[in-house]
Amino acid sequence: MAASVSDACKQSVKRAPLNTTSFQKKTRNKLLSIPGTRLSVQNGQLLVSTGVTSLDYLLGGGLAVGTVLLIEEDRYDSYSRMILKYFLAEGVVCQHQLFLAAAQDHPNDIFQELPDPILDDVVMHKPADPPRLSCDPQDSFDAMKIAWRYQNLPKVQSVLASSSRFGHYYDVSKTMEPEMRQAAKCHHFYHSEHPSQPSATHSPVLEPYAALLKSIEEVISREGFSVAAPMTQSRNILRIGLHSLGSPLWGDDLCFQDKPKHSHALTTFLYGLRALLRSSLAVAVVTVPSHLIQNSSLMGSITRLCDNAIALESFKGSERETSPLYKDYHGLLHVRQVPQLNCLTSQLPDHKDLAFKLKRKQFSIERLHLPPDLSETVSRVSRGELAGAAAGGSACGSANKHLDF
Amino acid sequence: MFAELNSILNVSPEDFSRGEFVLLSDRQSDASFLIHHFLGFYLRAGCQVCFVALAQSLSHYTAVSQRLGVSLSQAKEKGQLVFLEGLNESLSILNPHDARKGSEAMDFLRNPSAGLQSLVQFVSSSFSHARSAVEGANDGHGPPVLLVDDVSLLLSLGATVDAVLDFSHYCRAAVCSRLKGNVVMLLRCDGENDVESDDDSERLLRGLTHQCSLALHVRSLPTGYCRDIHGQVEVCDRRRQADSQQKKKTFQYKVHDRGASFFAPGTSSAVL
């Protein structure tokens, strides 16, 4: 594993120095130590965490810098929005910069809903909480009865920067502290604030997305995320979250027309985004309401323009919610595409049947397996039968089970 | 280049036929490893290669070719390879306020419905430019070869099916007929094998399959997902057949770090 990284380093040293994309393997002597990133052990790519550790594992260690992750939304956009919030929260914790674009809610509303990270080893500046001194012997005796000699040690451990860990856990029942959120630099783009104006120079990217692409490009060049920018300033990663692209709220007619007027608006934008990201230290997560898009080949071309693609299918509102097969999970997760990053092979997942569950402190993605059948009456119901029965109506399924001979 | 694929197709860098139009297509899988094979193959054969790379960046192709033993940067310096990096060039057009001025090849992005003339101009000018440069030097440059990574991206960027079919026709006329070179194009489709579907990419696939002389169709395994067998390749060979009858052969493949191995269906090492 380590050999491949050093091999990659030697290879990139031998190559001509003019590398202007962010996809280069980082050589050892100019290793950029950007907080919150690490090198992949498989192919030496620079990775960032998505905020969900099981998703990181699925993607081969993390999201490679310069790539786009496409999430096909579930029916009510609950879990895809959750993953987007995890992604942004991870950026706050790792001190990356954030860019969020949305058409439905104002990005500030989404920022206020970010989950609270579970950090036990970070010095948080809490002015309201004065450090408790052990000047009061009674107190100290009450505090520690056995290890009382350790009472005098400082309460907070030595500074372990939050970014030294890769991937954090979040508590979704609480929202992030405002101070922590404001410490991170956030840019946002709210679609209603940018009314479509006929620009002087006609951009081929069609109107709903032209302003968005321009705004992203401005942020990248202004804040110095471009790989071609001078190396003197300290580098950081820009995390771009694009919520619900392709939905009618963006002004695109993909979702309600069989033959949309400008079917290539979104795909041209995604091409421009890919071009921007390949030459910047940025990562993008895009969610698309694929269940609304009528044209299946269009979804295929959107998927091919992104690097990683996953689809979420939640059980909410469907008969599967009450099915005993799926009672441990909230939905299914399909891996649509894995990227090829600077090599011929890609990190194919081991299994394709995955299910996810949103717990309070973890979004876990596991392999779906049948629970053991421990009921008294042996119900020989296969998975396909159960799904078929569920579609037809649960009444016949239960009636069959009560047949007694 | 992959040695096993060379033996399957009965070609080698020293001996291959000219005037061929090779079509690589895939459906729910990824045939881009074949583009790397042909890129390495024609560079090793000493051909004059023009690579229209719309899908990935230059450093991706350079890194992969390095592992396969071919140096793209050296080939570019020698003048053997003309590389159009679509991603980079399109940025100056998709962001009009950008001060950079890219090459005119991607100008079709300004008005995609008007056609792909700018791309055809680029292709023919790159070959004529290279020929005049080579004419002076007594170089043994082989026949010209055009490689297009991802014709289906042209559809995604707004070109119509007719425009793309015209583009491939003009490229064939310029490269295959006039200059006696080869053309290799990659086309990515998706969806089930719906022959009667009137989808854009299906129509394009049918049109290009009709024009081509050698087609490699990459499909995923019909029996499901397997980590050790990445898919199957169907080789339809219409070259050198007097009665234009096609020979069809099917192989299964697995892509490694430094190549790909092809084997007869059912003989994978994972199974035997």
Side-chain angles (χ1 to χ4, degrees), chain A residues 21 201 203-205 214 217 264 267 271-272 274-275 278 297 300-301 304-305 340 342 344-345 348-350 352, chain B residues 30 32 54-56 59-60 86-87 90 93-97 109 153 156 158 188-190 199 225 227 255-256:
Chain A
T21 69
T201 51
S203 162
V205 179
K214 186 166 156 206
E217 203 262 336
H264 60 274
T267 43
Y271 191 74
R274 188 184 172 109
R278 288 290 195 265
S297 66
S301 40
R304 282 194 296 272
L305 275 167
Q340 295 171 331
N342 284 346
L344 269 182
T345 52
L348 292 171
D350 285 328
K352 283 254 174 157
Chain B
D30 196 354
S32 37
L54 302 172
Q56 300 271 18
S59 54
H60 170 88
L87 285 172
S90 64
I93 298 174
L94 294 177
N95 276 318
H97 61 282
L109 283 176
L153 269 180
S156 301
R188 306 193 63 187
C189 322
D190 51 4
D199 253 352
Y225 171 71
R227 255 192 121 198
V255 180
H256 310 294

Side-chain angles (χ1 to χ4, degrees), chain A residues 341-394:
Chain A
L341 305 172
N342 284 346
C343 59
L344 269 182
T345 52
S346 37
Q347 316 283 334
L348 292 171
D350 285 328
H351 325 283
K352 283 254 174 157
D353 45 355
L354 302 160
F356 66 85
K357 183 174 176 72
L358 177 61
K359 300 189 269 220
R360 189 167 76 98
K361 296 204 175 172
Q362 198 189 7
F363 185 99
S364 65
I365 299 171
E366 304 158 8
R367 188 175 175 199
L368 178 70
H369 57 271
L370 294 175
D373 197 354
L374 299 170
S375 58
E376 287 177 356
T377 60
V378 177
S379 52
R380 292 197 181 87
V381 184
S382 68
R383 196 207 281 196
E385 238 181 322
L386 196 61
S394 47

Side-chain angles (χ1 to χ4, degrees), chain A residues 132-144:
Chain A
R132 235 192 300 164
L133 301 168
S134 56
C135 49
D136 199 341
Q138 255 107 13
D139 260 77
S140 64
F141 260 92
D142 286 334
M144 284 194 186

Side-chain angles (χ1 to χ4, degrees), chain A residues 92 97-100 108 111 181-182 184-188:
Chain A
V92 172
Q97 288 197 21
L98 307 179
F99 180 99
L100 177 60
N108 284 336
F111 277 135
R181 202 174 53 227
Q182 272 137 27
K185 193 159 182 191
C186 310
H187 311 271
H188 63 260

Side-chain angles (χ1 to χ4, degrees), chain B:
Chain B
M1 62 168 213
F2 312 145
E4 289 176 11
L5 190 55
N6 284 344
S7 58
I8 288 173
L9 298 176
N10 267 330
V11 292
S12 76
E14 295 83 32
D15 164 42
F16 58 92
S17 49
R18 309 193 171 194
E20 303 286 338
F21 179 24
V22 182
L23 175 69
L24 311 169
S25 83
D26 69 30
R27 188 185 295 278
Q28 291 176 345
S29 49
D30 196 354
S32 37
F33 69 101
L34 290 173
I35 277 277
H36 292 111
H37 158 81
F38 281 105
L39 180 62
F41 178 86
Y42 286 120
L43 281 179
R44 278 214 196 146
C47 295
Q48 175 65 40
V49 176
C50 172
F51 191 3
V52 175
L54 302 172
Q56 300 271 18
S57 58
L58 171 61
S59 54
H60 170 88
Y61 293 108
T62 315
V64 180
S65 303
Q66 194 110 25
R67 287 187 198 217
L68 298 178
V70 173
S71 168
L72 289 194
S73 38
Q74 262 181 19
K76 274 176 79 173
E77 278 165 33
K78 277 195 309 190
Q80 196 191 0
L81 170 67
V82 175
F83 195 96
L84 170 66
E85 188 178 356
L87 285 172
N88 217 2
E89 304 293 333
S90 64
L91 266 184
S92 55
I93 298 174
L94 294 177
N95 276 318
H97 61 282
D98 209 343
R100 280 180 297 172
K101 183 80 182 72
S103 84
E104 293 85 26
M106 302 295 283
D107 268 354
F108 70 90
L109 283 176
R110 291 188 208 279
N111 192 3
S113 45
L116 297 165
Q117 283 93 343
S118 56
L119 210 50
V120 178
Q121 299 276 17
F122 169 78
V123 168
S124 38
S125 67
S126 69
F127 283 132
S128 57
H129 178 74
R131 280 195 105 62
S132 55
V134 159
E135 229 93 82
N138 198 2
D139 225 332
H141 267 180
V145 174
L146 169 67
L147 290 158
V148 181
D149 191 351
D150 227 340
V151 165
S152 44
L153 269 180
L154 292 172
L155 286 180
S156 301
L157 291 171
T160 57
V161 179
D162 301 325
V164 180
L165 283 173
D166 287 342
F167 165 73
S168 76
H169 175 79
Y170 280 118
C171 288
R172 255 182 71 209
V175 179
C176 297
S177 315
R178 207 161 16 106
L179 300 173
K180 297 284 177 289
N182 290 356
V183 175
V184 180
M185 288 199 183
L186 170 62
L187 173 65
R188 306 193 63 187
C189 322
D190 51 4
E192 308 309 307
N193 195 2
D194 217 354
V195 188
E196 57 272 3
S197 143
D198 212 15
D199 253 352
D200 278 355
S201 51
E202 299 294 327
R203 279 173 53 205
L204 189 56
L205 176 65
R206 285 200 292 270
L208 289 181
T209 316
H210 179 76
Q211 290 182 5
C212 73
S213 56
L214 168 67
L216 293 163
H217 299 297
V218 177
R219 304 282 178 262
S220 55
L221 283 181
T223 43
Y225 171 71
C226 172
R227 255 192 121 198
D228 290 310
I229 307 174
H230 293 160
Q232 63 187 35
V233 183
E234 194 184 290
V235 180
C236 302
D237 201 344
R238 287 200 284 180
R239 310 165 289 175
R240 309 179 198 142
Q241 309 292 342
D243 50 358
S244 77
Q245 212 176 26
Q246 1 182 14
K247 265 193 329 179
K248 282 203 199 187
K249 292 189 278 191
T250 310
F251 295 91
Q252 290 180 345
Y253 71 92
K254 177 175 176 163
V255 180
H256 310 294
D257 209 23
R258 291 180 185 269
S261 55
F262 295 81
F263 36 86
T267 59
S268 154
S269 53
V271 169
L272 290 179

Side-chain angles (χ1 to χ4, degrees), chain A residues 166-180:
Chain A
F166 185 83
H168 299 84
Y169 290 98
Y170 297 88
D171 187 345
V172 294
S173 56
K174 300 187 243 171
T175 54
M176 196 185 269
E177 306 278 324
E179 302 99 44
M180 195 173 200

